[in-house]
Amino acid sequence: MSPLRPLHSLRPLLPVMLPALLTVLLVAPAPPPAHASGHGKGEGIETARTARQIAPGVRLESYDRLEADRWLRIDELDVQLAGTGTDTGTGTGTGAGSGVRVEYLGGRGLATVSDSAARHPAGPGRRVVAAVNGDFFDIRGTGAPLGPGIGAGRLLHAASPGAGQAVGFGAGGSGRVLRLTLDGSVTLPGGAVRPLAGFNTARPPAEGFAAYTADWPADGLPASGPAVELRDGRVAAVRAAVRRPARRERPAPGTTLLVAAGTAAPELAALRPGDAVAVAARPVPVGGGAVPASAVGGREALVVAGVPQNHDGEPNNAAAPRTAVGFSRDGRRARLVTVDGRQRDSGGLTLTALGRLMHRLGAHEALNLDGGGSSTLIAALTGESALTVENSPSDGRRRPVPNGLVLTAPAGTGRATGYRIEPVGGAARAFPGLTRTLRATPYDAQLGPVPAQPAAPGWSLPAGRGRIDAGGALRASGPGAVEVRAGLGAASGALRLDVLGEPIRLRAVPERIGFAEEGETARFVLTGYDAQGAAAVVEPRDVELDFDRSRWQVADDGQGGFTVTARVPNATGEVRATVRGIPAGTSGASRASVAPARLALGVGLSDVPLADLEDAARWTGPGAAPGEGRPGRGLALAPPAGGGTAAATPPRPLRVPELARSLSFWVHGDGSGARPAVELADGEGAAVTLRGPAVDWTGWREIDLPLPAMAERPFAVTRLAATAAAPAAARAKARTGAAAKAPAEAAAPRLLLDTLAARTPPTGVVRTADGPDPIVATAARVDSRPWRFAVAPAGARPAAASARTAAVDFALTGTGRPAFVHRGVRFLPLGSTRPTLAGGGLERITALRAALATAAREPGTGALAVVEPYVPQAVDRKEAALRLRLLAEFRRATGKRALVLTVGAPRFAAGRTEGVLTVAAPRTGRTVIGADAFAAGDWLSVLPAAGR
């Protein structure tokens, strides 16, 4: 997994503390300068980028962006298409190329992109290297694609009415956006020729003949009227009509099923077994040109003749996950792009913004493919044949889709020419004296797999930097960068690791795990921290575990962490992890021990009450009122008929236990079809809605709504709601596409709700015993610094002295003043209180980047201090991680210091992460800070307000 995707790799471990997230974030290369946003709402900035070569001619670029109103995650396959032979896709001639081909993927029913790619026949001497999802499809019907499809030069399916746009790739490799129509005919007995209106189309035409063959790209055919089965040009059988919801079976190879509608139906009904009937079908590009060797349908044109298209006002122009394909002017370069959406970490793009993005990437033509939960991009790792998912599908899982585009490339010789070296689980970091296991994967000249090696590679590292065994287990001797090499013969590879200071504390990530039942398994890792707050994984071989083996099973997962399994029901307990003794001869030998880490465990769900609704009179909102409970009092929600919503807000948000699996409550139904819902705020304030089933019952029934695994915890319940079912006439119109009459609607619905609870496993709270950070000091130590400043309530005198400290140079009473430099420290007040995704993040990060660049150039500046107001949830997790990453990179690159100072916090706190100091000064009292921007060790000493 790319280091750009820390949340993907850590998602099973959420909630994860920020330092653990930074462990991954900090390995990303420094982001380039800001440039114009593709979203179209002001300037955006790129915040991280990684790249790797997938195969000769195929490169994966993955990057994050911060826009004024959203984060974006983008994955882009940059493909230099094959250029050998005559190009039948565009007629542009011949030329040397990469040998890469883009081919039709799937076509045998719904399957994930990964499963389809694993089954794709690449052909002799070729291998599959990447793939993306393809066309929009009949998601509520047959599952067949709506647009045209061509594979190996053969028409697989024609477009349903209203579709026809496609991306096509010629036999020589180059591609283009085009529109494909069906040129087909049905020759009846006696020689009458009729047009063929559909060929393997998901939605049969309302008029004319349609044919279905074994190339039908779904499991079952759509229901239809009578049909005839053709074999060898003659009617083999007559089939009866099939009505919804039943479906016809896929025709056998060599068989064509012919159906008809409208005026063609009587001609079909007249056919008898033995009649000669010929069906012909071929794709025709609108406007001319050669038929592509492969093509997949899409929908909206994003870039036409070098001009990005404006889709404002169109129904599909909302921000969403996207998949798109674009081509250079000559068709020799393709960009296959996915943009994640419907997630806090990536808000998706509108069609208009997607067109601007594709244009900025160099597309002369571009087409939108299916998006939403379908958007998927997979690619091979160097030296491996299996493909990994690179983006984050918005469903939280891989959605089955009918087709896609698959990239194949020439296979190599299978002889090793190099090694890809990577740490097993976690970043390329190690502690002195502790194990860091490395893996060496060989690859051939085409970056493909090496099926068999004559021997394992040899490992080496510079003299005096530690030792590494034949299995790649490194034990470094001391802090600093170290280059590890692996090689066999002429094939070699290298990896640079950062060896941190000796570990001083250990944490389990996560610190609590709850299971619903025995037999469930979860994963955790142990993260160590050095004195500067830099983090690295501590591997199982360096850890001793103490736990009740009758209740839990804990095992090394082979990926740098552990799996824990619940062995009995309804149990609680903990795992205690201790770092084993550090071998003599390393810099860690002087440290006797590291405090143990504790992991709290529990199994068995119980209902934790959130609201008994006896206080329903205090819940306010439209259509809400006290009602009958079971027993006692409950909450009544009476939404207006016709799709209206009633909602009730509690007197204060109801905090949901962090490990809760689901929310349950009782609903007294009236059979109206109204839907209850629970509205939540996640851990960063984002709205999350849990929608219940349509209430088609009467009386009391308990419902259980799972909490989303992908959202940021903890949750808080903000509203209970109920939405009336749409009127029958509207539902009928939606089904038929035309006006329909319906009987009068029933009376407005009224749902009764009672006893809201969170189903939660019983685990305890892990309490750490860390002492104060060394920068928390005595008054004497603060006074010993060359100068001091205070953080004080508004109105404090700038240079006032306390009873136990000398005078201060100035007092910070807020963040309203402009940036300034004082005695070697550049202060950057960030006064914006707007949330990250309301423009505040972009404003703050832009200002921080500018200040870092200035401070790096100033010879008289030894430190940068970011001063921010305490505003809960204004700075989201990604902005906080990005800010700390930028400050840590500044510290490493320049040797200068960095501080984040929060003014007006509810309580005092001080610490450090990745060498960046953090101080939270409370809103009461005076926090005095002594500073020396050029000190040899810590450059700050802090006297808390309560300590003077």
Side-chain angles (χ1 to χ4, degrees):
M1 190 64 65
S2 163
L4 181 68
R5 297 292 186 262
L7 294 178
H8 295 191
S9 59
L10 295 176
R11 196 55 87 170
L13 305 179
L14 287 179
V16 177
M17 297 302 290
L18 182 60
L21 176 62
L22 283 166
T23 303
V24 186
L25 278 173
L26 280 160
V27 303
H35 56 272
S37 164
H39 186 251
K41 291 190 176 181
E43 293 287 311
I45 54 176
E46 189 173 295
T47 60
R49 178 181 286 264
T50 59
R52 74 171 189 262
Q53 200 72 25
I54 303 300
V58 183
R59 184 174 177 82
L60 175 66
E61 299 274 350
S62 300
Y63 44 99
D64 283 12
R65 290 184 59 84
L66 173 57
E67 308 292 342
D69 62 347
R70 71 196 61 209
W71 292 95
L72 288 176
R73 284 200 306 252
I74 302 170
D75 292 283
E76 168 198 340
L77 289 168
D78 184 354
V79 186
Q80 302 291 335
L81 295 169
T84 56
T86 300
D87 189 332
T88 61
T90 61
T92 55
T94 62
S98 64
V100 178
R101 298 175 189 161
V102 184
E103 302 170 1
Y104 185 95
L105 175 67
R108 282 294 182 270
L110 295 176
T112 65
V113 175
S114 298
D115 288 344
S116 293
R119 295 192 295 262
H120 183 76
R126 301 188 67 79
R127 66 186 182 100
V128 172
V129 297
V132 297
N133 68 290
D135 198 1
F136 293 83
F137 60 100
D138 185 19
I139 193 169
R140 293 181 179 83
T142 61
L146 298 176
I150 298 175
R154 190 176 81 253
L155 177 65
L156 302 176
H157 50 88
S160 293
Q165 288 268 84
V167 288
F169 299 84
S174 62
R176 60 174 171 153
V177 175
L178 71 166
R179 181 174 291 277
L180 292 168
T181 61
L182 173 65
D183 179 18
S185 63
V186 177
T187 303
L188 299 171
V193 178
R194 302 288 183 261
L196 184 66
F199 180 80
N200 285 335
T201 52
R203 296 171 180 167
E207 176 64 43
F209 289 94
Y212 293 89
T213 70
D215 287 327
W216 166 247
D219 295 324
L221 273 64
S224 67
V228 297
E229 188 177 296
L230 307 177
R231 192 177 299 116
D232 298 327
R234 293 190 177 275
V235 175
V238 177
R239 303 298 183 192
V242 174
R243 301 302 179 191
R244 290 192 181 104
R247 297 178 185 173
R248 297 185 186 275
E249 294 183 0
R250 180 201 306 272
T255 300
T256 299
L257 193 72
L258 191 64
V259 300
T263 59
E267 292 183 297
L268 181 77
L271 296 176
R272 297 291 181 267
D275 287 350
V277 178
V279 176
R282 68 184 185 95
V284 176
V286 175
V291 174
S294 59
V296 162
R299 186 174 291 172
E300 296 89 357
L302 301 172
V303 182
V304 177
V307 179
Q309 302 298 290
N310 188 344
H311 292 276
D312 291 352
E314 297 179 12
N316 193 30
N317 198 41
R322 299 290 181 184
T323 302
V325 178
F327 301 101
S328 60
R329 182 187 291 268
D330 64 2
R332 297 292 185 185
R333 188 177 187 183
R335 307 272 190 165
L336 284 65
V337 175
T338 58
V339 182
D340 290 342
R342 297 174 186 161
Q343 303 170 51
R344 186 72 173 178
D345 291 336
S346 189
L349 285 178
T350 65
L351 290 172
T352 300
L354 182 63
R356 284 195 291 266
L357 170 67
M358 298 303 292
H359 180 258
R360 191 172 69 247
L361 295 177
H364 187 71
E365 297 178 308
L367 185 67
N368 180 51
L369 304 188
D370 189 17
S374 300
S375 285
T376 307
L377 186 150
I378 62 176
L381 293 170
T382 303
E384 296 188 11
S385 56
L387 276 58
T388 60
V389 178
E390 296 293 335
N391 74 318
S392 178
S394 64
D395 288 352
R397 56 181 175 79
R398 306 175 193 183
R399 176 186 288 180
V401 295
N403 65 7
L405 293 169
V406 61
L407 276 63
T408 68
T413 61
R415 294 190 296 270
T417 60
Y419 284 89
R420 172 173 57 88
I421 304 177
E422 60 186 351
V424 175
R429 288 179 158 193
F431 288 114
L434 297 185
T435 306
R436 197 69 187 95
T437 303
L438 307 178
R439 178 188 295 123
T441 302
Y443 57 87
D444 65 17
Q446 296 292 318
L447 306 182
V450 175
Q453 297 184 80
W459 294 89
S460 65
L461 66 159
R465 298 295 287 123
R467 57 187 175 84
I468 186 168
D469 66 19
L474 166 71
R475 287 182 181 265
S477 59
V482 60
E483 183 178 81
V484 181
R485 302 192 66 87
L488 181 64
S492 66
L495 177 69
R496 179 186 182 275
L497 281 94
D498 291 325
V499 183
L500 308 178
E502 62 183 79
I504 64 170
R505 56 191 175 98
L506 185 67
R507 290 285 179 272
V509 182
E511 291 186 311
R512 296 191 301 153
I513 294 176
F515 301 101
E517 57 188 8
E518 63 179 303
E520 277 193 14
T521 297
R523 183 175 187 263
F524 71 95
V525 298
L526 293 173
T527 300
Y529 300 85
D530 69 8
Q532 289 300 320
V537 65
V538 177
E539 296 190 14
R541 71 176 72 187
D542 292 324
V543 175
E544 292 181 356
L545 300 179
D546 181 20
F547 60 95
D548 186 343
R549 285 167 170 75
S550 68
R551 295 187 172 197
W552 319 102
Q553 177 181 327
V554 183
D556 183 341
D557 69 356
Q559 297 297 318
F562 300 85
T563 56
V564 55
T565 304
R567 303 187 68 173
V568 297
N570 303 317
T572 59
E574 73 170 17
V575 175
R576 184 175 182 270
T578 306
V579 177
R580 288 195 176 101
I582 298 174
T586 70
S587 67
S590 62
R591 181 166 294 277
S593 64
V594 178
R598 285 179 163 81
L599 169 69
L601 299 171
V603 58
L605 298 180
S606 59
D607 285 347
V608 176
L610 300 182
D612 59 12
L613 296 178
E614 289 294 329
D615 64 345
R618 301 178 61 197
W619 290 59
T620 59
E628 306 83 8
R630 58 170 306 273
R633 182 171 293 185
L635 176 68
L637 294 176
T645 298
T649 301
R652 65 185 62 84
L654 306 174
R655 184 179 176 85
V656 179
E658 193 164 349
L659 296 184
R661 295 292 188 92
S662 62
L663 298 184
S664 66
F665 56 99
W666 287 85
V667 179
H668 188 280
D670 57 1
S672 65
R675 289 182 178 272
V678 181
E679 297 180 11
L680 310 165
D682 73 4
E684 293 180 345
V688 177
T689 301
L690 309 182
R691 303 188 188 281
V695 178
D696 56 3
W697 66 88
T698 58
W700 287 103
R701 179 180 296 182
E702 189 177 29
I703 64 174
D704 189 69
L705 304 180
L707 288 162
M710 298 286 285
E712 192 71 17
R713 296 180 181 234
F715 298 106
V717 176
T718 56
R719 288 206 313 175
L720 297 179
T723 302
R731 295 195 300 269
K733 183 175 180 180
R735 286 194 301 268
T736 64
K741 293 182 179 180
E745 295 297 323
R750 183 175 183 268
L751 303 184
L752 297 175
L753 279 57
D754 200 2
T755 315
L756 177 66
R759 292 197 163 143
T760 309
T763 65
V765 177
V766 175
R767 302 190 183 279
T768 60
D770 294 335
D773 190 272
I775 64 172
V776 180
T778 63
R781 178 58 180 157
V782 171
D783 285 348
S784 71
R785 294 292 186 179
W787 65 279
R788 288 151 300 286
F789 68 99
V791 185
R797 289 178 294 166
S802 74
R804 297 186 60 191
T805 58
V808 297
D809 288 19
F810 59 86
L812 288 174
T813 59
T815 57
R817 64 190 300 177
F820 64 98
V821 179
H822 184 83
R823 300 184 68 172
V825 181
R826 173 169 284 276
F827 286 84
L828 174 65
L830 295 178
S832 172
T833 61
R834 286 187 295 164
T836 299
L837 300 186
L842 185 58
E843 178 182 336
R844 289 186 289 264
I845 295 299
T846 301
L848 175 59
R849 280 181 156 177
L852 289 171
T854 300
R857 294 192 302 265
E858 294 174 330
T861 296
L864 175 73
V866 175
V867 184
E868 65 171 2
Y870 175 77
V871 183
Q873 297 184 334
V875 176
D876 72 11
R877 171 182 40 81
K878 286 194 72 174
E879 183 187 346
L882 173 59
R883 179 174 60 190
L884 279 171
R885 193 190 85 199
L886 294 174
L887 291 168
E889 288 171 350
F890 166 79
R891 180 177 176 272
R892 285 197 300 271
T894 67
K896 300 183 179 185
R897 318 306 182 83
L899 164 70
V900 177
L901 175 60
T902 303
V903 179
R907 63 188 63 85
F908 174 82
R912 66 191 73 202
T913 301
E914 303 295 336
V916 178
L917 302 181
T918 57
V919 176
R923 61 177 66 101
T924 57
R926 287 166 54 90
T927 301
V928 181
I929 301 175
D932 181 356
F934 303 100
D938 279 338
W939 65 286
L940 288 182
S941 296
V942 183
L943 182 65
R948 286 189 282 122

